[in-house]
Amino acid sequence: MKEEYLRLVHAEGNGWKDVNLTLIRGEIVFLADPGRDGARVFKDWAEGKTGRMRGSYFLRGEKIPGSWFPGPDAVILDGTMRYSGAVSVAQNLYGVGPEGGFFRGKRRIGRLADAALVGAGLEISPHRPVWELNPFEQTLLGLADAWKKKAGILILDGTGNSFGEAEYQYLGERMSRLTERGTCVLILADRANPLLEWADRSVLLEDGRDR
């Protein structure tokens, strides 16, 4: 039996009305709210931008507050770069922040980043500057971050994204690779897109309610 990662019971607030949602590790879930911003509410809530929501919330079986700030095993991806300037892909993944700053050494973080990229099945040079990456490559970099962290959940905000057929295929294959390690992938969308084909389950919100 697969492990429950997150469960929302009668969640309400910021446009949501009695939403019930269970996310299981190792699954891809497609959450859509056509014509509204309900799917984005989840991302804003996860980032602590919505304030306290009503209802009951459980993370790995433990009750949590209605204002959730994800831990280190969560990756939230909206297609925007976390770093710019001369920072490389390798430094983005390993060389910046609490895991050692720039003191690890370029060779070591290059090897670590290359291992994460290869493990996630991505074809991006660890030496490329982050600012050179297009939106699709930025999305792939987020997948490498989730692979590196062995993330419990990857939240992919797909609202407004428009990739080509081959790019969606590539992205779906790499997301499936993450689920094999136990990561739950949650795709947020405002309309159907080719990633729906990769989902184990789909949840449709209508007027702020799950259907």
Side-chain angles (χ1 to χ4, degrees), residues 1-175:
M1 184 175 179
K2 291 186 177 180
E3 176 187 352
E4 176 183 293
Y5 182 79
L6 180 69
R7 178 160 47 98
L8 283 62
V9 182
H10 305 307
E12 294 192 2
N14 298 282
W16 276 14
K17 303 171 185 175
D18 196 25
V19 172
N20 296 277
L21 178 67
T22 300
L23 301 178
I24 306 297
R25 297 195 65 158
E27 286 190 352
I28 299 176
V29 179
F30 192 93
L31 177 62
D33 188 7
R36 295 175 60 88
D37 292 328
R40 284 185 179 270
V41 171
F42 187 97
K43 175 174 167 289
D44 290 342
W45 170 70
E47 292 178 327
K49 295 178 180 178
T50 60
R52 191 177 184 86
M53 302 264 283
R54 297 182 296 278
S56 299
Y57 304 82
F58 301 87
L59 180 64
R60 304 185 203 90
E62 299 290 331
K63 193 165 185 179
I64 59 174
S67 52
W68 175 46
F69 295 87
D73 71 337
V75 173
I76 302 176
L77 184 61
D78 60 6
T80 60
M81 293 181 291
R82 292 177 297 167
Y83 302 102
S84 58
V87 176
S88 69
V89 166
Q91 290 165 337
N92 180 282
L93 288 172
Y94 282 100
V96 178
E99 294 189 35
F102 286 99
F103 300 103
R104 284 175 174 266
K106 289 185 178 180
R107 288 186 179 179
R108 185 181 180 193
I109 65 173
R111 289 195 299 269
L112 289 169
D114 192 54
L117 292 165
V118 170
L122 306 177
E123 299 174 1
I124 299 177
S125 169
H127 307 295
R128 284 186 64 186
V130 174
W131 63 266
E132 284 187 0
L133 303 181
N134 60 40
F136 178 67
E137 291 171 325
Q138 293 169 23
T139 301
L140 298 182
L141 181 57
L143 266 63
D145 191 27
W147 180 276
K148 176 200 75 173
K149 293 179 177 179
K150 297 182 179 178
I153 187 170
L154 169 67
I155 302 170
L156 173 60
D157 183 1
T159 57
N161 284 350
S162 182
F163 300 137
E165 183 178 343
E167 291 173 322
Y168 276 122
Q169 175 74 18
Y170 189 89
L171 185 57
E173 291 172 352
R174 272 57 192 180
M175 289 191 309

